[in-house]
Amino acid sequence: MGTETASGPTAEQAGHAANVEPGEAPGSRPLPCLSNGGSKPDPTPPQGTPGHPAGSEEDPEAAAAEPVAFPYKLRPLDPVTQRRVIADFPALPHGLQSVLDWDFKVAGTATAADFAAHLNQPLRRGDVWVCSPPKCGSMWTQELVWLLENQLDFDGCRAMLTDRWRFGESRFAADLEERARIAAARPATAPVPDPAAARSRFVKSHLPLSLSPPRLLDTCKVVYLARNPKDICVSFFNHARRYKTVNFGGSLETFAEHFLAGTVVMTPVVPHMLEAWRLRHHPNLCFIFYEDMKRDLRGQIRRLAAFLDRPCSDSDVERLAEYLHIDNFRKNPWRSEDFGKQAGMVNEGAGEFIRTGKTGDWKNHLSPELSARFDSWIESQLSGSDLRFVMELDKQD
């Protein structure tokens, strides 16, 4: 595949492309637009955070930055593949588009203007982003980050995550016409997201870091979640059946074929994780594996607390671990999933959003033949990288 960059990009825009030479592994180059070359985080206290009521204004440097144009081309899939996607995912009547040199997939109705708005959104020092491919435990991590940043305010987190976190990426993940249709059919009693969420300093993103604002890592703290692709696929399959914005009605085997081919929206996932893995030493990036949270939740709570500079006592860690235990979190009525149900976005009888929450659940769903295909695919995707995935755990929380 050739270069994605539009003609005549600026040096900063060219940094976004991170083009791959023939034979080089996807995501194997650094992303200069997101790295400050190892410069230290800003020592000034975050603005607009608990304990720092003096202000929540935009970071002056970020606010003064010149707007950047979207430096990539959006490409529709080839006609045969597009027809198959539309047939298998009826909530995507306009199919998918590819972007980046490793063919990240977005909804067919997403536009360059949508991406430009995303790239140029205001950033403030003190903002915290949680980034990941879909189905890596981002909701779980969002709750942990919010509690750490708000001095374990368990009363304050009795509000939908959609009211406490910004997530403005539906235009990239869902078809515009389907979103309008679902919104028109929304029950009159459905909750309306708090408008304050649009100004929240907490941001969730499923886009890869190369499609994030250029100065993200220079300005904000970023927690990146990774997970083994087999469990991602099984969890994504259940998600795709549940949500009307995807409406997948086929078998797991058919979904896995799309997943391996990278023809599911917001995939492929391995290059997504490779981009972040190469930036894992950046002082403003904390790279976390879902499997490590399952193996040692208390240890990961301490690690995140240190990264966010939020001191956490042993008793605090115990309170958080109990609150976030998967059996308790599954019953939490303030998850965004419950908002989705009330808003009419979820198909009835399609199972629960949080199922087992276990690492290695893929063994209960993937045939030996399909599992072997995943193994070969993962090995090929990781060629030239030291990123490795944990597929099973002997013991997990």
Side-chain angles (χ1 to χ4, degrees):
M1 286 169 288
T3 297
E4 282 293 315
T5 314
S7 60
T10 65
E12 185 176 35
Q13 292 165 357
H16 269 286
N19 293 312
V20 176
E21 297 293 339
E24 191 173 7
S28 62
R29 287 194 177 187
L31 305 172
C33 65
L34 293 168
S35 173
N36 62 2
S39 62
K40 296 179 180 179
D42 183 28
T44 58
Q47 298 296 305
T49 62
H52 302 293
S56 59
E57 67 275 6
E58 295 172 12
D59 172 58
E61 183 181 0
E66 287 294 323
V68 297
F70 179 55
Y72 307 114
K73 295 177 182 177
L74 288 164
R75 307 182 312 275
L77 309 189
D78 69 84
V80 173
T81 303
Q82 194 76 290
R83 284 194 293 272
R84 186 163 59 246
V85 167
I86 292 170
D88 289 341
F89 298 89
L92 292 167
H94 297 92
L96 297 173
Q97 301 174 92
S98 292
V99 63
L100 301 176
D101 58 325
W102 46 272
D103 292 334
F104 183 68
K105 300 303 189 302
V106 296
T109 52
T111 67
D114 291 332
F115 275 104
H118 178 76
L119 293 178
N120 289 290
Q121 64 183 284
L123 301 176
R124 299 168 296 177
R125 297 198 187 278
D127 287 359
V128 183
W129 287 50
V130 168
C131 301
S132 74
K135 314 313 296 176
C136 288
S138 56
M139 193 181 297
W140 196 27
T141 308
Q142 286 173 255
E143 193 77 317
L144 171 56
V145 167
W146 193 93
L147 284 165
L148 287 171
E149 286 286 289
N150 287 277
Q151 288 90 48
L152 277 64
D153 182 5
F154 289 99
D155 289 332
C157 69
R158 292 173 63 84
M160 293 288 182
L161 281 171
T162 46
D163 290 340
R164 291 180 279 139
W165 286 77
R166 276 189 281 151
F167 183 64
E169 296 176 7
S170 60
R171 59 194 183 277
F172 305 122
D175 187 272
L176 179 63
E177 290 183 6
E178 283 299 297
R179 281 160 40 210
R181 185 186 64 78
I182 292 169
R186 180 173 297 173
T189 56
V192 177
D194 187 341
R199 301 185 298 277
S200 173
R201 54 174 295 263
F202 299 99
V203 185
K204 170 185 174 178
S205 175
H206 286 321
L207 291 176
L209 291 179
S210 56
L211 290 177
S212 298
R215 294 191 55 79
L216 176 61
L217 283 183
D218 290 332
T219 309
C220 307
K221 292 279 190 178
V222 176
V223 178
Y224 187 93
L225 266 293
R227 190 182 190 185
N228 81 74
K230 291 183 180 180
D231 278 330
I232 290 179
C233 180
V234 171
S235 183
F236 207 163
F237 164 67
N238 285 280
H239 176 97
R241 292 193 305 163
R242 286 180 56 73
Y243 277 90
K244 294 179 180 179
T245 50
V246 188
N247 248 6
F248 181 77
S251 66
L252 172 59
E253 289 71 22
T254 299
F255 185 87
E257 292 288 343
H258 281 288
F259 189 87
L260 290 168
T263 51
V264 178
V265 70
M266 295 286 170
T267 73
V269 299
V270 175
H272 193 306
M273 293 185 276
L274 278 168
E275 284 192 353
W277 179 250
R278 288 188 55 81
L279 292 166
R280 67 192 183 280
H281 300 303
H282 192 288
N284 277 347
L285 179 69
C286 185
F287 191 106
I288 292 180
F289 288 99
Y290 179 86
E291 292 77 15
D292 286 340
M293 292 184 68
K294 292 296 301 178
R295 176 167 39 199
D296 181 17
L297 180 57
R298 289 164 179 80
Q300 295 306 308
I301 289 172
R302 291 187 176 94
R303 183 177 171 220
L304 262 178
F307 171 70
L308 297 171
D309 194 22
R310 300 296 181 186
C312 206
S313 68
D314 289 345
S315 62
D316 290 339
V317 171
E318 289 303 317
R319 290 178 68 197
L320 285 166
E322 177 66 19
Y323 178 82
L324 291 166
H325 190 280
I326 197 68
D327 292 337
N328 295 327
F329 192 62
R330 185 183 290 111
K331 303 170 187 174
N332 188 330
W334 305 108
R335 295 177 288 117
S336 301
E337 164 67 0
D338 293 278
F339 171 85
K341 285 182 178 179
Q342 296 170 51
M345 297 167 58
V346 176
N347 289 312
E348 293 294 329
E352 291 300 316
F353 184 82
I354 296 178
R355 300 176 305 108
T356 66
K358 297 290 187 182
T359 291
D361 182 53
W362 59 267
K363 294 184 298 181
N364 299 316
H365 303 278
L366 301 183
S367 68
E369 295 77 17
L370 189 52
S371 176
R373 285 188 59 193
F374 265 88
D375 291 338
S376 297
W377 176 77
I378 292 169
E379 182 180 3
S380 174
Q381 294 273 298
L382 294 180
S383 177
S385 168
D386 58 353
L387 174 63
R388 294 295 180 267
F389 298 110
V390 172
M391 298 297 178
E392 302 178 53
L393 292 174
D394 293 332
K395 181 180 180 299
Q396 51 190 302
D397 292 334

